C-alpha cells in the first residue's frame, strides 16, 4: 500500500513537472463539496425570498436562484458575489488534508493561503472569461500551486479549463509583452503557446486540476444551461519568501492589470 502510494505520488510529481499541471481524481472529500453547496443554498434561498419573493424549498437545487438574482442589478450582483467569496466552506477546501498533503508532495512545505474563491460562470456570459494568462497575480513565491476544483462535472459544454501542456517552461511572461482584452483582463498573445498542445480539462466533482503559476491557461464559455461553480485555491510556500526582509515582492512586476 505504502509502495503504491509512493509510486502514485512519484507519478503525480513527474507529470506536474513535465506538463505544468496534473489532474487528480477524487481529491476533495464529498462532505467538503456538500458543505459548500449547502452554504450557497442557504445564502441564495434567503436572498431570493427577500428580493424575488421566491419560496424557500428544502429540496430545491442549491443554486436555483442565482441567475435571477444576478440579473436584478449589477451593483447588487457585485455585492452578492463578494459575499459568496467569503463563505467559510471555501476555507474547508483550503485547509483540506488531501489538498495540503498533495501540496507537500509537490514540494510546497508550508502552503500559505494566497487566496481562495469561487468562480460563478453563468451560461452564455463571456465578459468575465479569463483570456490566456499565467497566475501571477499577488504571487509571493515561485513555489506556488493553484488548485482548480469544480463543484459539478465540467466538460466542453460548460466551460472546461483550457491549459497549454508544458507551457510553464516558458517561465514568467513579462507585463509589457501582454495585452489587455476588451474586458480589462490581462491576456497572453496566442503566439506564445503555438507549439504547445491545448487541452480542455474534463473532470468530475471532487477531482482537481493542480497547476503551476506559469502554466498558460484560460476560460471557455459555459454553453450549457446550468451555472458552473469552481472553487480555486492558491498557495505560496511560506518557507520561500526570501524577500520579506526588504519588502520588495519581485513578482508584482509580472502583472499588467490591477487585479490582485
Ligand atoms: O475557471 C476558469 O474558467 C478560469 C480559471 C482561471 O483561469 C484561474 O483560476 O486562474
Amino acid at each position: 500500500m505504502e509502495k503504491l502510494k509512493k509510486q502514485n505520488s512519484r507519478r503525480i510529481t513527474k507529470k506536474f513537472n513535465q506538463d505544468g499541471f496534473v489532474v487528480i481524481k477524487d481529491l476533495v472529500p464529498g462532505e467538503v463539496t456538500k458543505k459548500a453547496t449547502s452554504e450557497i443554498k442557504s445564502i441564495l434561498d434567503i436572498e431570493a425570498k427577500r428580493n424575488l419573493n421566491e419560496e424557500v424549498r428544502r429540496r430545491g437545487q442549491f443554486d436555483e436562484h442565482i441567475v435571477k438574482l444576478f440579473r436584478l442589478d449589477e451593483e447588487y450582483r457585485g455585492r452578492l458575489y463578494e459575499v459568496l467569496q467569503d463563505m467559510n466552506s471555501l476555507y474547508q477546501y483550503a485547509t483540506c488534508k488531501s489538498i495540503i498533503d498533495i501540496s507537500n508532495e509537490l514540494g510546497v512545505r508550508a502552503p500559505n493561503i494566497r487566496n481562495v474563491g469561487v468562480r460563478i460562470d453563468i451560461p452564455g456570459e463571456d465578459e468575465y472569461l479569463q483570456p490566456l494568462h499565467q497566475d501571477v497575480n499577488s504571487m509571493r513565491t515561485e513555489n506556488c500551486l493553484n488548485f482548480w476544483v469544480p463543484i459539478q462535472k465540467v466538460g466542453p459544454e460548460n466551460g472546461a479549463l483550457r491549459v497549454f501542456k508544458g507551457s510553464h517552461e516558458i517561465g514568467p511572461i513579462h507585463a509589457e509583452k501582454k495585452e489587455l482584452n476588451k474586458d480589462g483582463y490581462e491576456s497572453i498573445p496566442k503566439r506564445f503557446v503555438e507549439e504547445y498542445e491545448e487541452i480542455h480539462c474534463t473532470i468530475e466533482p471532487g477531482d482537481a486540476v493542480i497547476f503551476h503559476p506559469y502554466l498558460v491557461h484560460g476560460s471557455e464559455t459555459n454553453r450549457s444551461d446550468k451555472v458552473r461553480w469552481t472553487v480555486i485555491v492558491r498557495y505560496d510556500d511560506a518557507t520561500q519568501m526570501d524577500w520579506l526582509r526588504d519588502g520588495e515582492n519581485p513578482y508584482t512586476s509580472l502583472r499588467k492589470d490591477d487585479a490582485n
Side-chain angles (χ1 to χ4, degrees), residues 32-239:
V32 173
T33 313
K34 211 161 154 215
K35 272 258 158 60
T37 53
S38 80
E39 192 174 4
I40 295 168
K41 179 163 169 47
S42 57
I43 295 170
L44 297 183
D45 278 357
I46 295 301
E47 285 301 312
K49 188 165 186 232
R50 191 178 287 138
N51 300 299
L52 303 168
N53 273 328
E54 297 271 354
E55 276 312 306
V56 172
R57 295 192 302 150
R58 268 193 54 212
R59 293 197 173 280
Q61 170 69 19
F62 78 96
D63 62 351
E64 63 178 318
H65 306 297
I66 186 83
V67 175
K68 270 200 201 158
L69 286 168
F70 269 13
R71 293 204 170 127
L72 275 177
D73 83 69
E74 275 303 305
E75 287 189 2
Y76 167 72
R77 174 178 178 156
R79 291 190 289 266
L80 178 57
Y81 179 85
E82 288 305 323
V83 167
L84 293 166
Q85 299 310 306
D86 291 335
M87 290 188 297
N88 78 65
S89 56
L90 298 182
Y91 289 83
Q92 298 207 357
Y93 285 82
T95 54
C96 168
K97 181 172 170 4
S98 52
I99 292 190
I100 301 298
D101 284 352
I102 199 122
S103 302
N104 295 150
E105 295 282 354
L106 288 170
V108 175
R109 281 173 65 193
N112 203 246
I113 303 168
R114 171 152 54 104
N115 77 288
V116 53
V118 63
R119 262 192 81 92
I120 308 165
D121 285 280
I122 303 293
E125 270 191 359
D126 277 347
E127 61 266 46
Y128 302 108
L129 297 183
Q130 287 280 350
L132 298 187
H133 67 287
Q134 296 174 315
D135 274 330
V136 291
N137 51 330
S138 316
M139 193 168 135
R140 290 174 296 186
T141 68
E142 208 144 1
N143 200 26
C144 63
L145 289 176
N146 302 287
F147 286 75
W148 188 82
V149 194
I151 285 183
Q152 68 297 291
K153 183 177 161 80
V154 173
E157 70 294 340
N158 63 344
L161 188 71
R162 304 165 64 196
V163 299
F164 288 81
K165 186 174 166 183
S167 58
H168 63 308
E169 70 180 21
I170 301 173
I173 297 170
H174 270 270
E176 64 273 14
K177 297 195 175 131
K178 298 175 193 169
E179 294 157 0
L180 287 184
N181 79 357
K182 64 175 176 25
D183 301 309
Y185 290 106
E186 178 185 275
S187 156
I188 293 175
K190 189 80 199 282
R191 69 188 144 82
F192 279 89
V193 286
E194 252 147 23
E195 65 193 69
Y196 297 96
E197 183 188 353
E198 178 173 351
I199 293 177
H200 290 79
C201 302
T202 295
I203 70 174
E204 299 289 329
D207 299 352
V209 182
I210 309 176
F211 58 93
H212 189 282
Y214 298 152
L215 186 81
V216 178
H217 64 286
S219 305
E220 265 301 347
T221 307
N222 175 3
R223 295 192 186 85
S224 73
D225 56 4
K226 299 215 165 55
V227 179
R228 190 198 84 177
W229 296 79
T230 315
V231 176
I232 298 166
V233 188
R234 310 191 201 280
Y235 303 100
D236 276 293
D237 188 345
T239 67

